[in-house]
Amino acid sequence: MYDPFGDVLTAWFQNNKRDLPWRHTRDPYKIWLSEIILQQTRVNQGLDYYLKFISEFPEVQTLADASKEKVYRLWQGLGYYNRADNLMKAAKVVTENFDGKFPTNFETLKTLPGIGDYTAAAIASIAFDQKTPVVDGNVYRFLSRMYGIKTPIHSGKAKKEFWSLAEELMGNQPPAQFNQALMEFGALQCVPQNPDCKNCIFNAQCFAYSKGIVADFPVKKNKTTVRERFFYYFVIRQQTGNSEFFVLRKRGEKDIWKNLYDFPSVTLDKPLNDALDALPLAEKEGWFTPKDCEIRSPSTVYEHRLTHLKIQAVFIPVFSRKALSADGKNSLYLVARSEINNYPVPQLIVRYFHDRDINY
Ligand code: SF4
């Protein structure tokens, strides 16, 4: 029996799709880059990053040869730095093992670092028109509402169920166009909050709309537990002649912000009554001796949220009267104010810099 789903959807796509640069290319490198950047990132935000990366690294070879600091600096603000790490690793593998050309099939694409089922399917279908379904968060939401699928998403069972439904719906449609249409429909029409169902092309067939239970889909298992932590940062500075220096700390490999730079800090489970009560903890770490410094008023509380973590940070300005030395030992570095811009830092620190008119 003729099922018009694919035709209706792709016609909608032609009339409504956003004009995005990665939609004008079949180059697997560019499609891969856009897919990695857009994971956990909104299109509007990701677009700037995509353009910066393409301009800085127009080919996979240039990305493979880039320094980690440079890639991190460009990546800054996107978070989830393991994506940036995998970007560099995969670029090297493609350059060294595949002669600079992306593999053309789903299974081989999955052998590249950071490429799972979703990204491999996106590249295989969009760059090489292979019939591989692509199911992202937008597709889960749209299909679960449309077909009343109550299996909690983020479960192995849901993955199989939604992937095979997406494949079935694709039928004989061109995979590149169909997959992008499915994702775009979820992103623009079947949006998370208050979708405009009255004007939806599928409202006559939509299960959730017909039952008035759109807000119940997609079904999610457990909510993420969010921990709360209190950071007390010591913004240690020293003036030498006309130059000002800051002590930056490089975060370690297993850290939430691995390989990024911030200030020395102590992390507590509970807030202190007075932020200055953190000073003895800093002294114990050997970061500075309070009697040799001028300690100024702590900042207001900066709130910063990560997926599993809510951070409440206070910055304590510490002006050292003595010369400081920080040469990488204990991961501390003395950095001239004019050089700070070259160091990748978490967004929390960017906010602090901007509030203090530190050029970043
Ligand atoms: S009718 Fe509403 S819930 Fe159903 S597919 Fe359309 S926008 Fe989504």
Coordinates of all heavy atoms in Angstrom, one line a residue, residues 141-142 145-146 185 189-191 195-198 200-204 206-209 214, ligand 1:
R141 N 11.6 12.3 19.6 CA 10.4 13.1 20.1 C 9.3 13.0 19.0 O 8.1 12.7 19.4 CB 10.8 14.5 20.3 CG 9.7 15.3 20.9 CD 10.2 16.7 21.3 NE 10.9 17.4 20.2 CZ 12.2 17.7 20.0 NH1 13.0 17.2 20.9 NH2 12.6 18.3 19.0
F142 N 9.6 13.3 17.8 CA 8.6 13.3 16.7 C 8.0 11.9 16.6 O 6.7 11.8 16.6 CB 9.3 13.8 15.4 CG 8.5 13.6 14.2 CD1 7.1 13.8 14.2 CD2 9.1 13.2 13.0 CE1 6.3 13.6 13.0 CE2 8.3 13.1 11.8 CZ 7.0 13.2 11.8
R145 N 5.7 10.7 19.5 CA 4.4 11.3 19.6 C 3.5 10.8 18.4 O 2.4 10.5 18.6 CB 4.6 12.9 19.4 CG 5.2 13.5 20.7 CD 5.5 14.9 20.4 NE 5.9 15.6 21.6 CZ 6.5 16.8 21.6 NH1 6.7 17.5 20.5 NH2 6.9 17.4 22.7
M146 N 4.1 10.8 17.3 CA 3.3 10.4 16.1 C 2.8 9.0 16.2 O 1.6 8.8 15.8 CB 4.3 10.5 14.9 CG 3.7 10.1 13.6 SD 2.9 11.5 12.7 CE 2.4 10.6 11.2
F185 N 12.2 18.1 10.9 CA 10.8 18.2 11.4 C 10.7 18.2 12.9 O 10.0 19.0 13.5 CB 10.0 17.0 10.8 CG 8.5 17.2 10.9 CD1 7.9 18.0 10.0 CD2 7.8 16.7 12.0 CE1 6.5 18.3 10.1 CE2 6.4 17.0 12.1 CZ 5.8 17.7 11.2
Q189 N 9.3 21.7 13.8 CA 7.8 21.6 14.0 C 7.4 20.9 15.3 O 6.7 21.4 16.1 CB 7.2 20.9 12.7 CG 5.7 20.5 12.9 CD 4.8 21.7 12.9 OE1 5.1 22.7 12.3 NE2 3.8 21.7 13.8
C190 N 7.9 19.7 15.5 CA 7.5 18.9 16.6 C 8.5 19.2 17.8 O 9.2 18.4 18.3 CB 7.5 17.4 16.3 SG 6.6 16.4 17.4
V191 N 8.4 20.4 18.2 CA 9.4 21.0 19.2 C 9.1 20.5 20.6 O 8.0 20.0 20.9 CB 9.4 22.5 19.2 CG1 10.0 23.0 17.8 CG2 8.1 23.1 19.4
P195 N 4.3 22.4 20.8 CA 4.4 22.4 19.3 C 3.0 22.9 18.7 O 2.0 22.8 19.3 CB 4.6 20.9 18.9 CG 4.1 20.2 20.1 CD 4.3 21.0 21.3
D196 N 3.2 23.5 17.5 CA 2.0 24.1 16.9 C 1.2 22.9 16.1 O 1.3 22.8 14.9 CB 2.5 25.2 15.9 CG 1.3 25.8 15.2 OD1 0.1 25.6 15.6 OD2 1.5 26.6 14.2
C197 N 0.6 22.1 16.9 CA -0.1 20.9 16.3 C -1.2 21.2 15.4 O -1.5 20.5 14.4 CB -0.6 20.0 17.5 SG 0.8 19.4 18.5
K198 N -1.9 22.3 15.7 CA -3.0 22.7 14.8 C -2.6 22.9 13.4 O -3.3 22.6 12.4 CB -3.6 24.0 15.3 CG -4.6 23.8 16.4 CD -5.6 24.9 16.5 CE -6.6 24.7 17.6 NZ -6.4 25.5 18.8
C200 N 0.1 21.4 12.0 CA 1.1 20.4 11.6 C 0.5 19.5 10.5 O -0.7 19.1 10.5 CB 1.4 19.5 12.9 SG 2.4 18.1 12.5
I201 N 1.4 19.2 9.5 CA 0.9 18.4 8.4 C 0.6 17.0 8.8 O -0.1 16.3 8.0 CB 2.0 18.4 7.3 CG1 3.4 18.0 7.9 CG2 2.1 19.7 6.5 CD1 4.5 17.7 6.9
F202 N 1.0 16.5 10.0 CA 0.7 15.2 10.4 C -0.4 15.1 11.4 O -0.6 14.0 12.1 CB 2.0 14.5 10.9 CG 3.0 14.2 9.8 CD1 4.2 14.8 9.8 CD2 2.7 13.3 8.7 CE1 5.2 14.6 8.8 CE2 3.6 13.1 7.7 CZ 4.8 13.7 7.7
N203 N -1.1 16.2 11.7 CA -2.0 16.1 12.9 C -3.1 15.2 12.8 O -3.6 14.6 13.8 CB -2.4 17.6 13.3 CG -3.2 18.3 12.2 OD1 -3.6 17.6 11.2 ND2 -3.4 19.5 12.4
A204 N -3.5 14.8 11.5 CA -4.6 13.9 11.4 C -4.2 12.5 11.7 O -5.0 11.7 12.1 CB -5.1 13.9 9.9
C206 N -1.5 11.9 13.9 CA -0.6 11.9 15.1 C -1.3 11.3 16.3 O -2.3 11.8 16.8 CB -0.1 13.3 15.4 SG 0.9 13.4 16.9
F207 N -0.7 10.2 16.9 CA -1.3 9.6 18.1 C -1.5 10.5 19.2 O -2.5 10.7 19.8 CB -0.5 8.3 18.4 CG -0.9 7.7 19.7 CD1 -1.9 6.6 19.6 CD2 -0.4 8.0 20.9 CE1 -2.3 6.0 20.8 CE2 -0.9 7.4 22.1 CZ -1.8 6.4 22.0
A208 N -0.3 11.2 19.6 CA -0.3 12.0 20.8 C -1.3 13.2 20.7 O -2.0 13.5 21.6 CB 1.1 12.5 21.1
Y209 N -1.4 13.8 19.5 CA -2.3 14.9 19.3 C -3.7 14.5 19.4 O -4.5 15.1 20.1 CB -2.0 15.6 18.0 CG -2.8 16.8 17.7 CD1 -2.8 17.9 18.6 CD2 -3.6 16.8 16.6 CE1 -3.6 19.0 18.4 CE2 -4.4 18.0 16.3 CZ -4.4 19.0 17.2 OH -5.2 20.1 17.0
V214 N 0.3 15.2 24.0 CA 1.6 15.5 23.4 C 2.7 15.7 24.4 O 3.8 15.2 24.2 CB 1.4 16.8 22.5 CG1 2.8 17.3 22.0 CG2 0.5 16.5 21.3
Ligands
SF4_1 S1 0.7 17.0 15.6 FE1 2.0 17.9 17.1 S2 2.8 16.3 18.3 FE2 2.0 15.4 16.4 S3 3.7 15.4 15.0 FE3 2.6 17.3 14.7 S4 3.7 18.8 16.0 FE4 4.3 16.7 16.7

